[in-house]
Amino acid sequence: MDGLTDGLYTAEITVLGVGNIILTDEGFGVHVVNHLKEHYDFPDNVQLIDGGTLGMELTHFLTGTKKLLIIDAVDGGLERGAVYRLTGAEIKAHFRQKISAHEVGIEEVLTLLELTGRPIEEVIVLGAQPFVLEAGVELSEDMKKILPSVVDEAVEILNDWGVKFA
């Protein structure tokens, strides 16, 4: 063990839902992760994290993970409700166009892990263009309609990564 991972257990695969749940559709990622927790049983090598608006604090939970699926509200400039799947350089471009402060932290965490020789081998950002970004703790009705298809895509990604659901 070393200083960064002493005493930590990080699963091989992490599903990270991010977003501010008091800004309606901005909390989309958290709502998706909560749905996954409620409807699926995951093996021990998978952790689901409600990252909310955590920033650098996520380093503690992500150091050592090999595959990371980030679920987020994504402002990609397309029509509201458009579903996105970002990989590689698209991810850094996404985090440069921030909807909220939590995205600053994620970009910094990924960079820190690279700089310390612990990069995450595969990162995918899955999300949807929000409909509403105003005060409220529930997703908009339109965003609720998109949630099942994003959950299905998340499950497909996890299946591709070898996750076996109980």
Side-chain angles (χ1 to χ4, degrees), residues 4 10 14-16 18 47 49 54-72 86-96 98 102-126 161:
L4 276 178
T10 301
T14 300
V15 181
L16 173 64
V18 293
Q47 65 179 347
I49 299 174
L54 293 175
M56 289 299 288
E57 298 88 352
L58 289 169
T59 305
H60 174 80
F61 300 102
L62 299 180
T63 300
T65 200
K66 304 286 186 243
K67 297 179 186 288
L68 173 61
L69 175 58
I70 301 170
I71 304 175
D72 196 5
L86 308 174
T87 58
E90 296 171 316
I91 294 171
K92 290 190 180 200
H94 160 64
F95 287 121
R96 282 198 272 296
K98 297 160 186 57
H102 71 268
E103 294 174 329
V104 174
I106 293 170
E107 181 179 20
E108 290 172 345
V109 168
L110 295 175
T111 300
L112 175 64
L113 292 173
E114 285 179 21
L115 292 174
T116 58
R118 293 172 178 83
I120 297 174
E121 294 170 10
E122 186 172 0
V123 180
I124 296 175
V125 175
L126 184 59
W161 287 349

Side-chain angles (χ1 to χ4, degrees), residues 91-159:
I91 294 171
K92 290 190 180 200
H94 160 64
F95 287 121
R96 282 198 272 296
Q97 299 173 342
K98 297 160 186 57
I99 293 178
S100 72
H102 71 268
E103 294 174 329
V104 174
I106 293 170
E107 181 179 20
E108 290 172 345
V109 168
L110 295 175
T111 300
L112 175 64
L113 292 173
E114 285 179 21
L115 292 174
T116 58
R118 293 172 178 83
I120 297 174
E121 294 170 10
E122 186 172 0
V123 180
I124 296 175
V125 175
L126 184 59
Q129 181 82 29
F131 288 90
V132 179
L133 294 174
E134 56 190 41
V137 295
E138 295 289 326
L139 292 174
S140 68
E141 290 304 315
D142 290 323
M143 203 68 158
K144 286 179 184 177
K145 292 174 186 171
I146 294 168
L147 189 137
S149 66
V150 172
V151 166
D152 289 347
E153 190 162 349
V155 168
E156 180 182 310
I157 291 166
L158 294 168
N159 281 326

Side-chain angles (χ1 to χ4, degrees), residues 9-18 29-52 58 61-62 65 67-69 71 151 154-155 158 163 165:
Y9 168 74
T10 301
E12 178 183 337
I13 297 171
T14 300
V15 181
L16 173 64
V18 293
V30 174
H31 288 283
V32 171
V33 164
N34 288 337
H35 182 90
L36 288 167
K37 286 179 182 179
E38 292 169 11
H39 294 90
Y40 294 88
D41 291 322
F42 288 87
D44 290 340
N45 70 327
V46 178
Q47 65 179 347
L48 281 79
I49 299 174
D50 169 352
L58 289 169
F61 300 102
L62 299 180
T65 200
K67 297 179 186 288
L68 173 61
L69 175 58
I71 304 175
V151 166
V155 168
L158 294 168
V163 173
F165 296 95

